[in-house]
Amino acid sequence: MRGEELTEYIGVVLDQGKGYVSWPLVPLYPTLKSFVELLFDAPQFFVMFWNSCKQVLPAVLGQFFVAVPAAWSFARYRFPCKNILFYIYIVLMILPFQVTIVSSYLVLNKLHVLDTHLAIILPAIFSTFPVFIMTKFFKGIPEEMLEAARLDGAGEGYIFFHIGIPLGNAGIISALILSFIELWNCIEQPLTFLRDKSYWPLSLYLPQISADNLGVSFIASLIMMLPAVLIFLKGQEYLEQGIVASGIKQ
């Protein structure tokens, strides 16, 4: 909605409300102009949308292959300095991004991955948050069940893939859903590690919309919110199972 249209709209509202400002739930003159302007006249929107997909999906997949074995090791095995290492994980998890921004930038610069999608993917793959969440769920698996599998001749690999992952799937999916939502909406990391705007994700598209294009801003916000909402609703059952699984006692 342009500035002139907004002024005219407010004037109509004031006239209908007899001098009082009112904001009706349904617009007086509904139109698909904002959809057309965003989906057909803004190719940058689609570039940023696919940038988000290229960054978020590989990062979440990488978290699965890195965080699941790490969480299983913390939950089921004993090794030197285990508690100290886990406390380091917790400290890194609670540290805000502003504290680790310099060290992260130096490491990514040393790896020559700045201004690439890997600048967002690599730090996310080794995030400590999924490890912390999954460890809690793997600890909830009764040790008696694992001992029974070992007595039947099952190896550690068989126990991990056929008992640990199936019984801990609620915690795994819960952690990955939360990671997806966080990565889909991240702003500080792309602004810091991506100077080339051609690699910017969709989360940086909304701040670029001027105040005159309120309709386009609303539609862009709706489309950006849709994937996260759908994944959250689809995984709601697993989130509930995860809450139940966390109450299992040995």
Side-chain angles (χ1 to χ4, degrees):
M1 183 178 292
R2 304 295 182 181
E4 296 81 2
E5 297 176 353
L6 180 61
T7 303
E8 181 181 355
Y9 175 76
I10 293 176
V12 173
V13 172
L14 288 173
D15 292 339
Q16 290 186 351
K18 297 180 180 180
Y20 296 97
V21 176
S22 62
W23 297 97
L25 181 62
V26 180
L28 297 177
Y29 306 102
T31 177
L32 297 178
K33 179 182 178 181
S34 298
F35 280 97
V36 174
E37 185 175 350
L38 178 66
L39 300 180
F40 295 97
D41 299 336
Q44 186 182 12
F45 175 81
F46 290 97
V47 173
M48 290 187 168
F49 178 84
W50 288 115
N51 285 341
S52 292
C53 295
K54 292 176 183 178
Q55 295 169 10
V56 175
L57 297 181
V60 173
L61 183 62
Q63 284 184 0
F64 174 80
F65 288 106
V66 173
V68 173
W72 179 258
S73 300
F74 278 122
R76 312 310 312 187
Y77 296 122
R78 296 180 180 178
F79 51 87
C81 302
K82 169 185 171 180
N83 292 333
I84 297 176
L85 185 59
F86 190 70
Y87 288 146
I88 294 175
Y89 264 68
I90 296 176
V91 171
L92 292 176
M93 182 184 66
I94 63 178
L95 285 178
F97 174 72
Q98 291 80 2
V99 176
T100 60
I101 182 174
V102 175
S103 58
S104 299
Y105 186 91
L106 294 176
V107 172
L108 294 175
N109 184 49
K110 191 69 174 180
L111 296 175
H112 304 288
V113 295
L114 290 175
D115 287 332
T116 65
H117 294 305
L118 289 176
I120 306 299
I121 296 173
L122 286 180
I125 288 178
F126 298 99
S127 174
T128 58
F129 174 75
V131 178
F132 176 79
I133 297 297
M134 296 178 190
T135 300
K136 296 300 181 181
F137 288 98
F138 284 143
K139 284 184 176 180
I141 300 176
E143 182 64 27
E144 292 79 3
M145 184 182 300
L146 305 182
E147 289 296 334
R150 293 188 181 97
L151 292 176
D152 290 338
E156 296 299 324
Y158 183 91
I159 293 175
F160 172 64
F161 287 106
H162 293 84
I163 299 178
I165 292 181
L167 292 181
N169 64 346
I172 295 172
I173 296 176
S174 300
L176 296 181
I177 289 175
L178 296 176
S179 296
F180 176 89
I181 296 175
E182 179 185 5
L183 293 171
W184 187 261
N185 298 312
C186 70
I187 294 179
E188 295 176 330
Q189 291 87 339
L191 283 175
T192 305
F193 303 140
L194 302 176
R195 290 171 293 181
D196 189 350
K197 294 184 179 181
S198 62
Y199 292 102
W200 279 12
L202 189 59
S203 56
L204 297 182
Y205 181 78
L206 296 180
Q208 300 183 66
I209 303 177
S210 62
D212 295 335
N213 295 328
L214 296 180
V216 175
S217 178
F218 176 79
I219 300 303
S221 302
L222 182 64
I223 295 177
M224 180 181 175
M225 181 180 64
L226 192 60
V229 171
L230 292 178
I231 289 179
F232 178 82
L233 294 177
K234 186 66 176 179
Q236 185 176 5
E237 179 181 354
Y238 293 99
L239 292 172
E240 294 174 354
Q241 291 178 4
I243 295 174
V244 175
S246 63
I248 295 179
K249 302 296 184 181
Q250 294 187 5

